[in-house]
Amino acid sequence: MSVTPKTWVQYDKSLPYIEDRDPSKKPTSHLVKDGENSYKIVDGRRPSKMLLVNKLRQEIDIWRENDYPGVNATTRELLYFWFLNDHKMKDQPFKFWFCQREAIETLIYLFEVKKYDDLEPVINSYAENFKKDLFKNAVEIVENAEGRRKLIRYFPELNQEGEQELPEKGLLRYAFKMATGSGKTYAMALIIIWSYFNRIREKDTRYPDNFLIIAPNVIVYERLAKDFADNKIFYNLPLIPPAWKHIWSIKVTLREDDSPLNPSGNLIINNIQQLYESRRVEQTP
């Protein structure tokens, strides 16, 4: 399993926000621009312009409210431990943010409950018809003679139709778009723990126990390396149920570490430039 975090963006001015909002709770309102440098609060969650998000959000909300039907014992215990227990860090209350919770819940729902092994049924189930044309499908998937697929759909942000390349069949990929400062590193740690313990406790080979995190630049790599080195993030945050810590055995390998990997249970952290460099070395005659 590999995850590529986005780079952080620096802003030269403060961003508008809703005061007293609890980031651990599901959003119940959002800001809408109301003139130059002016915003108003509107009830309801902000609709997404991404193809699969709105329908998935609704289904995940219902699944959560019904106590996560369809998950195994390991996943259920993790969800309860993370989100339904009181946690403290340095004697201060700690709660995961809702965006982090929703990210891992969505992955669990699609992978473990729905058991999708390809992107096409995901698109067919959750694609939104942004054009609101009742006589035309929201999307069309076309395949050439070599088996390469394209998704033809309407892009609301561009106000036009376009195409997207799809991964080859059976190569399942999920991406989570999270805002700057919303805790992508925490979400990655949650995903790693969920997958690792399902592999170990449920003995299910669908769940990987080797992980690769690719940083887009050196600055992001250094932040990730600091967080994950020596398993620090896994032990400093309430991520692993106390009774399970004795079976946690992940070797974290940073880019300067050339020691042998474990047969299983590895977390490799690298930056994209090193991958490009290694490819150039391999191609040199």
Side-chain angles (χ1 to χ4, degrees), residues 33-205:
K33 200 160 188 179
D34 188 30
E36 187 174 355
N37 298 322
S38 176
Y39 295 83
K40 64 180 179 180
I41 298 176
V42 176
D43 288 339
R45 192 170 183 183
R46 184 188 305 280
S48 174
K49 292 183 178 181
M50 298 185 71
L51 182 65
L52 309 177
V53 169
N54 293 315
K55 290 184 178 181
L56 256 177
R57 278 178 177 171
Q58 294 173 7
E59 200 159 302
I60 297 299
D61 285 345
I62 295 171
W63 178 64
R64 182 189 309 114
E65 291 164 4
N66 283 279
D67 198 30
Y68 304 120
V71 299
N72 61 44
T74 295
T75 296
R76 183 174 299 280
E77 188 162 345
L78 286 171
L79 289 168
Y80 283 8
F81 174 72
W82 292 330
F83 307 127
L84 301 179
N85 277 277
D86 294 327
H87 301 291
K88 280 191 175 182
M89 286 183 57
K90 299 179 180 178
D91 295 324
Q92 296 296 320
F94 173 88
K95 291 182 178 180
F96 290 100
W97 289 354
F98 181 77
C99 58
Q100 298 160 357
R101 176 177 185 172
E102 190 175 49
I104 182 65
E105 286 175 337
T106 303
L107 178 59
I108 290 170
Y109 183 73
L110 293 173
F111 184 85
E112 183 171 316
V113 178
K114 304 296 285 188
K115 291 183 169 59
Y116 289 120
D117 57 6
D118 186 62
L119 188 58
E120 188 166 338
V122 181
I123 293 171
N124 291 333
S125 297
Y126 301 107
E128 186 164 355
N129 190 345
F130 286 110
K131 210 168 184 179
K132 309 302 180 187
D133 187 343
L134 298 179
F135 302 99
K136 188 174 181 180
N137 292 332
V139 297
E140 181 184 2
I141 298 175
V142 296
E143 184 175 337
N144 65 17
E146 289 78 32
R148 294 180 181 174
R149 298 176 294 178
K150 284 185 179 181
L151 175 68
I152 302 173
R153 71 178 183 93
Y154 176 75
F155 291 80
E157 64 274 25
L158 302 176
N159 194 27
Q160 65 183 38
E161 286 194 344
E163 297 180 351
Q164 286 179 282
E165 296 284 345
L166 293 182
E168 62 186 75
K169 292 180 181 179
L171 181 60
L172 189 59
R173 295 177 180 177
Y174 290 120
F176 299 91
K177 184 176 182 181
M178 298 177 65
T180 298
S182 61
K184 294 182 286 291
T185 304
Y186 287 18
M188 287 189 284
L190 292 172
I191 291 170
I192 290 169
I193 286 175
W194 163 71
S195 182
Y196 176 82
F197 280 114
N198 266 283
R199 180 65 172 261
I200 299 300
R201 300 182 83 246
E202 302 294 330
K203 296 179 173 54
D204 191 334
T205 57

Side-chain angles (χ1 to χ4, degrees), residues 222-233:
E222 290 174 348
R223 292 177 180 177
L224 290 169
K226 182 179 179 181
D227 287 334
F228 284 99
D230 300 319
N231 282 271
K232 183 165 61 175
I233 190 172

Side-chain angles (χ1 to χ4, degrees), residues 208-250:
D209 59 358
N210 291 303
F211 310 93
L212 171 64
I213 297 178
I214 303 173
N217 56 50
V218 174
I219 294 175
V220 176
Y221 167 79
E222 290 174 348
R223 292 177 180 177
L224 290 169
K226 182 179 179 181
D227 287 334
F228 284 99
D230 300 319
N231 282 271
K232 183 165 61 175
I233 190 172
F234 299 111
Y235 291 122
N236 290 353
L237 292 176
L239 292 169
I240 303 174
W244 296 5
K245 286 187 176 180
H246 70 285
I247 58 174
W248 176 256
S249 180
I250 286 282

